[in-house]
Amino acid sequence: MPIDAVKLREDFPILHRRVGDAPLVYLDSAATTQKPLAVLDAEREFYLTRNAAVHRGAHRLAEEATEAYERARATVAAFVGARPEETVFTRNATEGINLIAYALGTAGRIRPGDRIVVTEMEHHANLVPWQQLAERTGARLEWLTLTDEGRLDLDGLDRLLDERTRVVALTHQSNVLGTVNPVRRIADRAHAVGALVVVDGAQSVPHRPLDVTDLGADALVFSGHKMLGPSGVGVLWGRYGLLESLPPFLTGGSMVELVEMDRTTFLPPPQRFEAGVPMTAQAVGLAAAVDYLNALGMAEVAAHEDELTGYALRLLREIPGVRIIGPADPVDRGSAVSFTVDGIHPHDVGQVLDERGIAVRVGHHCARPVARRFGVPATTRASFHVYNTPDEVEALAAGVRAAQAYFAR
Ligand code: PMP
């Protein structure tokens, strides 16, 4: 069933608030999404009735908390077609990438002269950890560059893939350009030279159906707070064989098998990568977000956002002086729409929009190399989720025109 965003907004009380005299128009879901009551209720219910430290204690509450946590893992794993034992709860996508990069380094899998490949459109979260790993190991960091349209220049792939390429780390969907990358095609070519493929799904998992088997990658990370779930919980999915071959990232309680004064053995995945008492209520909240998205249907979520994105691109393109940074047509792209307005700094655009109750993000969106590639200091970014409506897209376009009128004076 197509999404009825107006009706669905009843589930999101925050969307009914006002900003000064104006109703809130929330167009910053690529930064973080709002949460439906079902998610808030699930967290509250956990604390009200079941709160205990998981995997510990022989009492009923601990048992029920553990059950809730492991049920949440199974729900979140199934959402991306994965098995629970391959699904690690992290703090966020950033932590998942750091975990993999760090563990590969510790395992001695990256040697001097090896190659780590990223792309020019990465969020800092999928760039800096690989820079650090390259620095730590003496490997070379190289990257796929971008076309003027904001897509990966795949002609560069042959040059970057050879028997020294150990890792290809790339985003599934750019948080600035909106571009959706052909992960499967790249993964197949990377695997042909024996490289591991790590995918940053922070901007794809929340917006479209995704199955890790079809994706063809070795690891995938995403964040709960960008998919209607709570902050403080994210996911690292990894092929079991990969996870099993990696040493821990953080160490301490909950991830150990046998501890003596001078040595320790570790539990198998996923526990090996979950040191300390985990974020239990947040995991339960994330599972509630997944249930909410599943009830809507991810294909319908994607269709709804595609419609809004197409409409936004059309209205923005009609405004003289507006330049879309990223694919200007709604094909193989997601719902983050970045743009500049001739003669007006993005911060000023953002301020005029904010005065009209419209929340967008301005800046480099934690992907500075992208701004540099397109020769802009910053962009204004509008981004959508299930609760946005065509009226809000029109409010955005009217706001951009108002900014132009204001600064033309
Ligand atoms: N990757 C991408 C593409 C993102 O958009 C973000 C969040 N802006 C991240 C990674 C990092 O997510 P988090 O801060 O939740 O770890």
Side-chain angles (χ1 to χ4, degrees), residues 94-138:
T94 303
E95 185 175 290
I97 297 163
N98 275 275
L99 189 163
I100 285 277
Y102 183 87
L104 285 172
T106 311
R109 306 253 296 250
I110 313 290
R111 300 244 162 79
D114 282 351
R115 191 181 267 151
I116 298 168
V117 174
V118 293
T119 86
E120 204 179 0
M121 68 166 75
E122 296 312 313
H123 186 282
H124 298 161
N126 199 32
L127 173 60
V128 183
W130 301 111
Q131 287 175 350
Q132 294 285 304
L133 178 63
E135 215 166 275
R136 210 148 60 88
T137 58

CSV table of all heavy atoms in Angstrom, one decimal, residues 94-138:
chain,number,residue,atom,x,y,z
A,94,THR,N,29.8,4.4,12.5
A,94,THR,CA,31.2,4.8,12.7
A,94,THR,C,32.0,3.7,13.5
A,94,THR,O,33.1,3.4,13.1
A,94,THR,CB,31.3,6.2,13.5
A,94,THR,OG1,30.5,7.1,12.8
A,94,THR,CG2,32.7,6.6,13.7
A,95,GLU,N,31.4,3.3,14.6
A,95,GLU,CA,32.1,2.3,15.4
A,95,GLU,C,32.3,1.0,14.6
A,95,GLU,O,33.3,0.3,14.7
A,95,GLU,CB,31.3,2.0,16.7
A,95,GLU,CG,32.1,1.0,17.6
A,95,GLU,CD,31.4,0.8,18.9
A,95,GLU,OE1,31.4,1.8,19.7
A,95,GLU,OE2,30.9,-0.2,19.2
A,96,GLY,N,31.3,0.6,13.8
A,96,GLY,CA,31.4,-0.6,13.0
A,96,GLY,C,32.6,-0.6,12.0
A,96,GLY,O,33.3,-1.6,11.9
A,97,ILE,N,32.8,0.6,11.4
A,97,ILE,CA,33.9,0.7,10.4
A,97,ILE,C,35.2,0.7,11.2
A,97,ILE,O,36.2,0.0,10.8
A,97,ILE,CB,33.7,2.0,9.6
A,97,ILE,CG1,32.5,1.9,8.7
A,97,ILE,CG2,35.0,2.2,8.7
A,97,ILE,CD1,32.0,3.2,8.2
A,98,ASN,N,35.3,1.4,12.3
A,98,ASN,CA,36.5,1.4,13.1
A,98,ASN,C,36.8,0.0,13.6
A,98,ASN,O,38.0,-0.4,13.6
A,98,ASN,CB,36.3,2.3,14.3
A,98,ASN,CG,36.7,3.7,14.0
A,98,ASN,OD1,37.8,4.1,14.0
A,98,ASN,ND2,35.7,4.5,13.6
A,99,LEU,N,35.8,-0.8,14.0
A,99,LEU,CA,36.0,-2.2,14.4
A,99,LEU,C,36.7,-3.0,13.4
A,99,LEU,O,37.7,-3.7,13.6
A,99,LEU,CB,34.6,-2.7,14.8
A,99,LEU,CG,34.5,-4.1,15.6
A,99,LEU,CD1,33.2,-4.2,16.2
A,99,LEU,CD2,34.8,-5.3,14.7
A,100,ILE,N,36.1,-3.0,12.2
A,100,ILE,CA,36.6,-3.8,11.1
A,100,ILE,C,38.1,-3.3,10.7
A,100,ILE,O,39.0,-4.2,10.6
A,100,ILE,CB,35.7,-3.7,9.8
A,100,ILE,CG1,34.5,-4.5,10.0
A,100,ILE,CG2,36.5,-4.1,8.6
A,100,ILE,CD1,34.6,-5.9,9.7
A,101,ALA,N,38.2,-2.0,10.6
A,101,ALA,CA,39.6,-1.5,10.2
A,101,ALA,C,40.6,-1.9,11.2
A,101,ALA,O,41.7,-2.3,10.9
A,101,ALA,CB,39.5,0.0,10.0
A,102,TYR,N,40.3,-1.7,12.5
A,102,TYR,CA,41.2,-1.9,13.6
A,102,TYR,C,41.5,-3.4,13.6
A,102,TYR,O,42.7,-3.8,13.7
A,102,TYR,CB,40.6,-1.5,14.9
A,102,TYR,CG,41.5,-1.6,16.1
A,102,TYR,CD1,42.4,-0.6,16.4
A,102,TYR,CD2,41.5,-2.8,16.8
A,102,TYR,CE1,43.3,-0.8,17.5
A,102,TYR,CE2,42.3,-2.9,17.9
A,102,TYR,CZ,43.2,-1.9,18.2
A,102,TYR,OH,44.1,-2.1,19.3
A,103,ALA,N,40.5,-4.3,13.5
A,103,ALA,CA,40.7,-5.7,13.7
A,103,ALA,C,41.6,-6.2,12.5
A,103,ALA,O,42.4,-7.1,12.7
A,103,ALA,CB,39.4,-6.4,13.8
A,104,LEU,N,41.3,-5.7,11.3
A,104,LEU,CA,42.1,-6.2,10.1
A,104,LEU,C,43.6,-5.8,10.4
A,104,LEU,O,44.5,-6.6,10.1
A,104,LEU,CB,41.7,-5.5,8.9
A,104,LEU,CG,40.4,-6.0,8.3
A,104,LEU,CD1,39.9,-5.1,7.1
A,104,LEU,CD2,40.5,-7.5,7.8
A,105,GLY,N,43.8,-4.6,11.0
A,105,GLY,CA,45.2,-4.2,11.3
A,105,GLY,C,45.8,-5.1,12.3
A,105,GLY,O,47.0,-5.7,12.1
A,106,THR,N,45.1,-5.4,13.4
A,106,THR,CA,45.6,-6.2,14.5
A,106,THR,C,45.9,-7.6,14.0
A,106,THR,O,46.9,-8.3,14.4
A,106,THR,CB,44.6,-6.3,15.6
A,106,THR,OG1,44.2,-5.0,15.9
A,106,THR,CG2,45.2,-6.9,16.9
A,107,ALA,N,45.1,-8.1,13.1
A,107,ALA,CA,45.2,-9.5,12.6
A,107,ALA,C,46.4,-9.6,11.6
A,107,ALA,O,46.7,-10.7,11.2
A,107,ALA,CB,43.9,-9.9,11.9
A,108,GLY,N,47.1,-8.5,11.3
A,108,GLY,CA,48.2,-8.6,10.4
A,108,GLY,C,47.8,-8.8,9.0
A,108,GLY,O,48.6,-9.3,8.1
A,109,ARG,N,46.5,-8.5,8.6
A,109,ARG,CA,46.0,-8.8,7.3
A,109,ARG,C,46.4,-7.6,6.3
A,109,ARG,O,46.1,-7.8,5.1
A,109,ARG,CB,44.5,-8.9,7.3
A,109,ARG,CG,44.0,-10.0,8.3
A,109,ARG,CD,43.5,-11.3,7.7
A,109,ARG,NE,42.4,-11.1,6.8
A,109,ARG,CZ,41.2,-11.6,7.1
A,109,ARG,NH1,41.0,-12.1,8.3
A,109,ARG,NH2,40.2,-11.5,6.3
A,110,ILE,N,46.9,-6.5,6.8
A,110,ILE,CA,47.3,-5.4,5.9
A,110,ILE,C,48.8,-5.2,6.1
A,110,ILE,O,49.3,-5.0,7.2
A,110,ILE,CB,46.5,-4.1,6.3
A,110,ILE,CG1,45.0,-4.4,6.5
A,110,ILE,CG2,46.8,-3.0,5.3
A,110,ILE,CD1,44.3,-4.7,5.2
A,111,ARG,N,49.5,-5.3,5.0
A,111,ARG,CA,51.0,-5.2,5.1
A,111,ARG,C,51.5,-4.0,4.4
A,111,ARG,O,50.8,-3.4,3.5
A,111,ARG,CB,51.6,-6.4,4.4
A,111,ARG,CG,51.2,-7.7,5.0
A,111,ARG,CD,52.4,-8.5,5.7
A,111,ARG,NE,52.0,-9.4,6.6
A,111,ARG,CZ,51.5,-10.7,6.3
A,111,ARG,NH1,51.4,-11.0,5.1
A,111,ARG,NH2,51.2,-11.5,7.3
A,112,PRO,N,52.8,-3.6,4.6
A,112,PRO,CA,53.3,-2.4,3.9
A,112,PRO,C,53.2,-2.7,2.4
A,112,PRO,O,53.5,-3.8,1.9
A,112,PRO,CB,54.8,-2.4,4.3
A,112,PRO,CG,54.8,-3.1,5.7
A,112,PRO,CD,53.7,-4.1,5.6
A,113,GLY,N,52.8,-1.6,1.7
A,113,GLY,CA,52.7,-1.7,0.2
A,113,GLY,C,51.3,-2.3,-0.3
A,113,GLY,O,51.0,-2.2,-1.4
A,114,ASP,N,50.5,-2.8,0.7
A,114,ASP,CA,49.2,-3.3,0.3
A,114,ASP,C,48.3,-2.0,-0.1
A,114,ASP,O,48.7,-0.9,0.3
A,114,ASP,CB,48.5,-4.0,1.4
A,114,ASP,CG,49.0,-5.5,1.5
A,114,ASP,OD1,49.7,-5.9,0.6
A,114,ASP,OD2,48.6,-6.1,2.6
A,115,ARG,N,47.2,-2.3,-0.7
A,115,ARG,CA,46.4,-1.2,-1.1
A,115,ARG,C,45.0,-1.3,-0.4
A,115,ARG,O,44.4,-2.3,-0.4
A,115,ARG,CB,46.2,-1.3,-2.6
A,115,ARG,CG,45.6,-0.2,-3.3
A,115,ARG,CD,45.4,-0.4,-4.8
A,115,ARG,NE,46.5,0.1,-5.5
A,115,ARG,CZ,46.9,-0.5,-6.7
A,115,ARG,NH1,46.3,-1.5,-7.1
A,115,ARG,NH2,47.9,0.1,-7.3
A,116,ILE,N,44.6,-0.1,0.1
A,116,ILE,CA,43.2,0.0,0.6
A,116,ILE,C,42.5,1.0,-0.3
A,116,ILE,O,43.0,2.1,-0.5
A,116,ILE,CB,43.2,0.6,2.1
A,116,ILE,CG1,44.0,-0.4,3.0
A,116,ILE,CG2,41.8,0.8,2.6
A,116,ILE,CD1,44.3,0.1,4.3
A,117,VAL,N,41.4,0.6,-0.8
A,117,VAL,CA,40.7,1.5,-1.8
A,117,VAL,C,39.4,2.0,-1.2
A,117,VAL,O,38.6,1.2,-0.6
A,117,VAL,CB,40.3,0.7,-3.1
A,117,VAL,CG1,39.5,1.5,-4.0
A,117,VAL,CG2,41.6,0.2,-3.8
A,118,VAL,N,39.2,3.3,-1.3
A,118,VAL,CA,37.9,4.0,-0.8
A,118,VAL,C,37.4,4.8,-2.0
A,118,VAL,O,37.9,4.6,-3.2
A,118,VAL,CB,38.1,4.9,0.4
A,118,VAL,CG1,38.5,4.0,1.6
A,118,VAL,CG2,39.2,5.9,0.2
A,119,THR,N,36.5,5.6,-1.8
A,119,THR,CA,36.0,6.5,-2.9
A,119,THR,C,36.0,8.0,-2.4
A,119,THR,O,36.1,8.2,-1.2
A,119,THR,CB,34.6,6.2,-3.4
A,119,THR,OG1,33.6,6.9,-2.5
A,119,THR,CG2,34.3,4.7,-3.3
A,120,GLU,N,35.9,8.8,-3.4
A,120,GLU,CA,36.0,10.3,-3.1
A,120,GLU,C,34.7,10.8,-2.5
A,120,GLU,O,34.7,11.9,-2.1
A,120,GLU,CB,36.3,11.0,-4.4
A,120,GLU,CG,37.0,12.4,-4.2
A,120,GLU,CD,37.3,13.0,-5.6
A,120,GLU,OE1,36.9,12.4,-6.6
A,120,GLU,OE2,37.8,14.1,-5.6
A,121,MET,N,33.7,9.9,-2.4
A,121,MET,CA,32.4,10.4,-1.9
A,121,MET,C,32.2,9.9,-0.5
A,121,MET,O,31.0,10.0,0.0
A,121,MET,CB,31.2,10.0,-2.8
A,121,MET,CG,30.9,8.6,-2.9
A,121,MET,SD,29.3,8.3,-3.6
A,121,MET,CE,29.6,8.6,-5.4
A,122,GLU,N,33.2,9.4,0.2
A,122,GLU,CA,33.0,8.8,1.5
A,122,GLU,C,32.7,9.9,2.6
A,122,GLU,O,33.3,10.9,2.6
A,122,GLU,CB,34.1,7.9,2.0
A,122,GLU,CG,34.4,6.7,1.1
A,122,GLU,CD,33.1,5.9,0.8
A,122,GLU,OE1,32.4,5.6,1.7
A,122,GLU,OE2,32.9,5.6,-0.4
A,123,HIS,N,31.8,9.5,3.5
A,123,HIS,CA,31.6,10.2,4.8
A,123,HIS,C,33.0,10.0,5.5
A,123,HIS,O,33.6,9.0,5.4
A,123,HIS,CB,30.5,9.6,5.5
A,123,HIS,CG,30.1,10.3,6.8
A,123,HIS,ND1,30.8,10.1,8.0
A,123,HIS,CD2,29.1,11.1,7.1
A,123,HIS,CE1,30.2,10.8,8.9
A,123,HIS,NE2,29.1,11.4,8.4
A,124,HIS,N,33.3,11.0,6.3
A,124,HIS,CA,34.6,10.9,7.1
A,124,HIS,C,34.7,9.5,7.9
A,124,HIS,O,35.7,9.0,8.1
A,124,HIS,CB,34.8,12.0,8.1
A,124,HIS,CG,34.9,13.4,7.3
A,124,HIS,ND1,34.7,14.6,8.0
A,124,HIS,CD2,35.2,13.7,6.0
A,124,HIS,CE1,34.8,15.6,7.1
A,124,HIS,NE2,35.1,15.0,5.9
A,125,ALA,N,33.5,9.0,8.2
A,125,ALA,CA,33.4,7.8,9.0
A,125,ALA,C,34.0,6.6,8.2
A,125,ALA,O,34.4,5.6,8.8
A,125,ALA,CB,32.0,7.5,9.4
A,126,ASN,N,33.9,6.7,6.9
A,126,ASN,CA,34.4,5.6,6.1
A,126,ASN,C,35.7,6.0,5.3
A,126,ASN,O,36.0,5.4,4.3
A,126,ASN,CB,33.3,5.1,5.1
A,126,ASN,CG,33.6,3.7,4.6
A,126,ASN,OD1,34.2,2.9,5.3
A,126,ASN,ND2,33.3,3.4,3.3
A,127,LEU,N,36.3,7.0,5.8
A,127,LEU,CA,37.6,7.5,5.2
A,127,LEU,C,38.7,7.5,6.3
A,127,LEU,O,39.7,6.8,6.1
A,127,LEU,CB,37.4,8.9,4.6
A,127,LEU,CG,38.6,9.6,4.1
A,127,LEU,CD1,39.3,8.8,3.0
A,127,LEU,CD2,38.3,11.0,3.6
A,128,VAL,N,38.4,8.2,7.4
A,128,VAL,CA,39.5,8.4,8.4
A,128,VAL,C,40.0,7.1,9.0
A,128,VAL,O,41.2,6.9,9.1
A,128,VAL,CB,39.0,9.4,9.5
A,128,VAL,CG1,40.1,9.7,10.5
A,128,VAL,CG2,38.6,10.7,8.8
A,129,PRO,N,39.1,6.1,9.3
A,129,PRO,CA,39.6,4.9,9.9
A,129,PRO,C,40.5,4.1,8.9
A,129,PRO,O,41.5,3.5,9.4
A,129,PRO,CB,38.3,4.0,10.1
A,129,PRO,CG,37.2,5.0,10.3
A,129,PRO,CD,37.6,6.2,9.3
A,130,TRP,N,40.2,4.3,7.6
A,130,TRP,CA,41.1,3.6,6.6
A,130,TRP,C,42.4,4.3,6.5
A,130,TRP,O,43.5,3.7,6.2
A,130,TRP,CB,40.4,3.4,5.3
A,130,TRP,CG,39.1,2.6,5.4
A,130,TRP,CD1,37.8,3.1,5.3
A,130,TRP,CD2,39.0,1.3,5.8
A,130,TRP,NE1,36.9,2.1,5.6
A,130,TRP,CE2,37.6,1.0,5.9
A,130,TRP,CE3,39.9,0.3,6.1
A,130,TRP,CZ2,37.1,-0.3,6.2
A,130,TRP,CZ3,39.4,-1.0,6.4
A,130,TRP,CH2,38.1,-1.3,6.5
A,131,GLN,N,42.4,5.7,6.6
A,131,GLN,CA,43.6,6.5,6.6
A,131,GLN,C,44.5,6.0,7.7
A,131,GLN,O,45.7,5.8,7.6
A,131,GLN,CB,43.3,8.0,6.7
A,131,GLN,CG,42.7,8.6,5.5
A,131,GLN,CD,42.3,10.1,5.9
A,131,GLN,OE1,42.4,10.5,7.0
A,131,GLN,NE2,42.0,10.8,4.8
A,132,GLN,N,43.8,5.9,8.9
A,132,GLN,CA,44.6,5.5,10.1
A,132,GLN,C,45.2,4.1,9.9
A,132,GLN,O,46.3,3.8,10.3
A,132,GLN,CB,43.6,5.5,11.3
A,132,GLN,CG,43.1,6.9,11.7
A,132,GLN,CD,44.2,7.7,12.4
A,132,GLN,OE1,44.8,7.3,13.4
A,132,GLN,NE2,44.5,8.8,11.8
A,133,LEU,N,44.4,3.2,9.4
A,133,LEU,CA,44.9,1.8,9.2
A,133,LEU,C,46.1,1.8,8.2
A,133,LEU,O,47.1,1.1,8.4
A,133,LEU,CB,43.8,0.9,8.6
A,133,LEU,CG,44.2,-0.5,8.3
A,133,LEU,CD1,44.6,-1.3,9.6
A,133,LEU,CD2,43.0,-1.3,7.7
A,134,ALA,N,46.0,2.6,7.1
A,134,ALA,CA,47.1,2.7,6.2
A,134,ALA,C,48.3,3.2,6.9
A,134,ALA,O,49.4,2.7,6.7
A,134,ALA,CB,46.7,3.6,5.0
A,135,GLU,N,48.1,4.2,7.7
A,135,GLU,CA,49.3,4.8,8.4
A,135,GLU,C,49.9,3.8,9.3
A,135,GLU,O,51.1,3.7,9.4
A,135,GLU,CB,48.7,6.0,9.2
A,135,GLU,CG,49.7,7.2,9.3
A,135,GLU,CD,49.0,8.4,9.8
A,135,GLU,OE1,48.4,9.1,9.0
A,135,GLU,OE2,49.0,8.6,11.0
A,136,ARG,N,49.1,3.1,10.0
A,136,ARG,CA,49.5,2.1,11.0
A,136,ARG,C,50.3,1.0,10.4
A,136,ARG,O,51.2,0.4,11.0
A,136,ARG,CB,48.3,1.6,11.7
A,136,ARG,CG,48.5,1.2,13.2
A,136,ARG,CD,47.3,1.4,14.0
A,136,ARG,NE,46.1,0.7,13.6
A,136,ARG,CZ,45.8,-0.6,14.0
A,136,ARG,NH1,46.6,-1.3,14.7
A,136,ARG,NH2,44.6,-1.1,13.6
A,137,THR,N,49.9,0.6,9.1
A,137,THR,CA,50.5,-0.6,8.5
A,137,THR,C,51.4,-0.4,7.4
A,137,THR,O,52.0,-1.3,6.9
A,137,THR,CB,49.3,-1.5,8.0
A,137,THR,OG1,48.6,-0.7,7.0
A,137,THR,CG2,48.4,-1.9,9.1
A,138,GLY,N,51.5,0.9,6.9
A,138,GLY,CA,52.4,1.1,5.7
A,138,GLY,C,51.7,0.8,4.4
A,138,GLY,O,52.3,0.7,3.4
